[in-house]
Amino acid sequence: MQIATLASIKPTDAPSIAPDERPIDLVHLARMTLGERSLEREVLQLFDRQATLLIARMRGAAPANVAALAHTLKGSARGIGAWRVARAAEALEAASAADTGAALDALAAAADEARGIIAELLRAN
């Protein structure tokens, strides 16, 4: 589904019972932006930049700081419907120091997938 087709989705539509398993839940995104395509584009661009920046910062941060940065990314991911990113960020937030590297790699992979879809959506519109 492209951003252009989201205009037909009413923000008052009932929310999904379970989060969508696509990298970006476009119905959730439309609901959160009230179907405004320019706002959708803006929040997707912001998320793309923020994910890149935060993951880069996490790679060199102390474990306590990694958890705080993961928490920030989790909230942003939930805002746009990037449920896989949100779950991976939550796992990193809760990871032990020994598991931080693997959890960060999983988060980076989920974010890369979401960012790829974002790039496709932005190119299409």
Side-chain angles (χ1 to χ4, degrees):
M1 185 184 307
Q2 295 180 355
I3 291 176
T5 62
L6 294 177
S8 64
I9 298 171
K10 294 181 176 77
T12 56
D13 290 344
S16 302
I17 292 173
D20 194 317
E21 286 304 313
R22 292 174 288 180
I24 303 290
D25 180 345
L26 298 176
V27 174
H28 178 78
L29 176 63
R31 190 177 306 112
M32 295 301 288
T33 59
L34 302 176
E36 293 185 31
R37 288 182 291 178
S38 63
L39 183 55
E40 290 169 4
R41 289 181 61 80
E42 185 177 343
V43 297
L44 289 173
Q45 290 168 336
L46 288 170
F47 179 82
D48 180 54
R49 285 192 298 262
Q50 183 185 43
T52 301
L53 178 67
L54 291 177
I55 291 170
R57 285 184 181 169
M58 286 180 214
R59 295 219 182 267
N65 293 338
V66 169
L69 294 169
H71 181 79
T72 299
L73 188 54
K74 176 179 70 175
S76 296
R78 287 178 175 168
I80 66 162
W83 306 121
R84 290 180 197 160
V85 175
R87 284 192 303 269
E90 187 171 30
L92 177 55
E93 193 177 5
S96 68
D99 296 329
T100 299
L104 179 53
D105 290 343
L107 174 58
D112 286 346
E113 180 183 35
R115 291 178 59 242
I117 295 300
I118 289 168
E120 288 178 24
L121 291 168
L122 294 175
R123 269 194 306 271
N125 294 296

